[in-house]
């Protein structure tokens, strides 16, 4: 049985004050979320603060991105060892906003995945198609290509140490959620593809759904066979909304 994981991706939102309040709200309610594992991924500058505020709670910390390099002259970058210094457990790589807005391609994402894994972080590898790609009927090709770049660089066994997040780009921040059936179909495709290479890896890896998940649709999404939780954007910015999703994971 795979444990349900609900991870909040705060993106570039929040302030010192609002983040203190958000973490206080989430930690106060997290005990009621049963067996569901919870993680939050703040903007880099708030990671030290959130790390301190989460001490002693069941909530894990993650980053929204990481450098593919270990150290050196890479202005503006954050290395995985820095993330380790503040107790990060997860590292989101290949989010569609990184891919679309900052030109990060499959190979670069694979190198970030490799760097995170080498440092002992659990990469949350984001994959997903645009609306245009869905309409062209190439969703599976796109997702397969995104996965293959990582498998080619790191090998199939590496996927066992990771989390995959299927986030259809057309459902992110749009209020348009993939239906549980649409999401399940892609999750089943991903697991089936992995099973073709290594059944053990396919059985073990958590595959999260992301894209306009809310308290009102989380239960139905998470009840699908191959959906093991969610990567939450907008609804992770209010403690009550986020906790409602965490509770739906039970
Ligand atoms: P929304 O939940 O705001 O649609 O964002 C999803 C997402 O991109 C999480 O990484």
């Amino acid at each position: 049985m795979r444990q349900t994981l609900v991870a909040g991706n705060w993106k570039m939102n929040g302030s010192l004050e609002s983040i203190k309040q958000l973490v206080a709200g989430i930690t106060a309610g997290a005990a009621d979320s049963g067996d569901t594992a919870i993680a939050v991924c703040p903007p880099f500058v708030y990671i030290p603060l959130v790390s301190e505020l989460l001490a002693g709670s069941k909530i894990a910390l993650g980053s929204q991105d990481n450098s593919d390099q270990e150290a050196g002259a890479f202005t503006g970058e954050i290395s995985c060892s820095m993330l380790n210094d503040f107790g990060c457990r997860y590292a989101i790589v290949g989010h569609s906003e990184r891919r679309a807005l900052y030109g990060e391609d499959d190979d670069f994402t694979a190198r970030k995945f490799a760097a995170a894994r080498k440092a002992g972080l659990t990469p949350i590898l984001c994959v997903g198609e645009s609306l245009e790609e869905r309409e062209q009927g190439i969703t599976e090709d796109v997702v397969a290509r995104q996965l293959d770049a990582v498998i080619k660089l790191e090998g199939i066994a590496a996927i066992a140490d990771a989390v995959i997040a299927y986030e259809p780009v057309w459902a992110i921040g749009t209020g348009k959620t993939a239906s549980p059936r649409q999401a399940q179909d892609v999750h089943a495709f991903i697991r089936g593809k992995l099973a073709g290479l290594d059944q053990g890896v396919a059985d073990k890896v958590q595959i999260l759904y992301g894209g306009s998940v809310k308290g009102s649709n989380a239960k139905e999404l998470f009840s699908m066979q191959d959906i093991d939780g969610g990567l939450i954007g907008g609804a992770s910015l209010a403690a009550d909304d986020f906790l409602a999703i965490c509770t739906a994971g039970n």
Side-chain angles (χ1 to χ4, degrees):
M1 241 311 257
R2 291 177 296 270
Q3 188 183 22
T4 302
L5 169 64
V6 175
N9 173 10
W10 295 351
K11 308 192 180 182
M12 197 174 75
N13 291 296
S15 65
L16 192 53
E17 219 23 68
S18 74
I19 282 178
K20 282 184 194 165
Q21 283 176 21
L22 178 56
V23 176
I26 296 171
T27 49
D32 300 331
S33 61
D35 290 340
T36 300
I38 305 174
V40 293
C41 304
F44 283 130
V45 289
Y46 297 119
I47 283 178
L49 169 74
V50 176
S51 176
E52 267 181 37
L53 296 174
L54 290 180
S57 81
K58 67 171 261 189
I59 302 167
L61 188 59
S63 64
Q64 298 177 16
D65 188 23
N66 57 264
S67 175
D68 63 325
Q69 301 291 324
E70 288 185 12
F74 302 103
T75 301
E77 291 291 278
I78 302 287
S79 74
C80 293
S81 66
M82 294 172 187
L83 299 171
N84 270 330
D85 277 345
F86 292 95
C88 283
R89 166 153 181 214
Y90 295 100
I92 297 174
V93 295
H95 191 278
S96 66
E97 286 147 18
R98 302 293 326 165
R99 294 176 188 265
L101 304 175
Y102 302 99
E104 299 189 3
D105 64 11
D106 295 335
D107 291 339
F108 191 41
T109 298
R111 292 200 299 278
K112 290 186 172 199
F113 180 105
R117 201 170 147 257
K118 190 171 173 202
L121 296 162
T122 300
I124 300 179
L125 172 66
C126 299
V127 297
E129 81 288 3
S130 65
L131 182 59
E132 199 185 1
E133 289 162 339
R134 173 160 284 263
E135 285 171 349
Q136 284 170 17
I138 57 169
T139 296
E140 292 185 357
D141 300 337
V142 170
V143 169
R145 191 200 71 218
Q146 292 168 331
L147 288 171
D148 282 339
V150 172
I151 295 169
K152 187 169 141 222
L153 185 68
E154 287 285 271
I156 181 65
I159 302 291
D161 305 332
V163 172
I164 294 171
Y166 169 58
E167 299 205 308
V169 179
W170 48 272
I172 295 178
T174 57
K176 266 193 207 168
T177 319
S179 69
R181 174 48 51 194
Q182 276 176 320
Q184 165 60 24
D185 284 350
V186 181
H187 282 234
F189 166 74
I190 293 170
R191 206 177 301 282
K193 175 181 165 56
L194 299 176
L197 298 168
D198 186 319
Q199 186 67 52
V201 170
D203 290 341
K204 179 177 173 220
V205 69
Q206 289 163 309
I207 308 178
L208 312 183
Y209 167 77
S212 299
V213 179
K214 306 183 268 287
S216 55
N217 59 24
K219 200 163 192 69
E220 211 188 337
L221 284 161
F222 298 170
S223 68
M224 303 307 283
Q225 191 181 348
D226 291 296
I227 302 183
D228 306 313
L231 184 55
I232 319 300
S236 70
L237 297 172
D240 287 352
D241 294 346
F242 186 59
L243 288 168
I245 297 168
C246 297
T247 307
N250 284 316

